Amino acid sequence: MSSILPILLLGLGGMLVGGVISLSRQGATKFSIGLVAVLAVLALAGGVLWLIPGDS
């Protein structure tokens, strides 16, 4: 289960990046684009950081 979570987070981040591109092409407000962009960065960062080996 622990190896599935980073893949899901990276997939979610990719979909959110696509959402940012789509929102910007549709002329959405800067707030909505920024909010989705922040969520995309958090999901991608979480997926990458989950893959870094820890001390445990």
Side-chain angles (χ1 to χ4, degrees), residues 3-33:
S3 64
I4 295 174
L5 191 59
I7 295 170
L8 291 176
L9 284 172
L10 291 171
L12 175 65
M15 287 192 291
L16 287 170
V17 168
V20 168
I21 294 169
S22 176
L23 284 171
S24 64
R25 286 184 182 172
Q26 293 176 15
T29 63
K30 290 188 181 200
F31 175 76
S32 61
I33 295 172

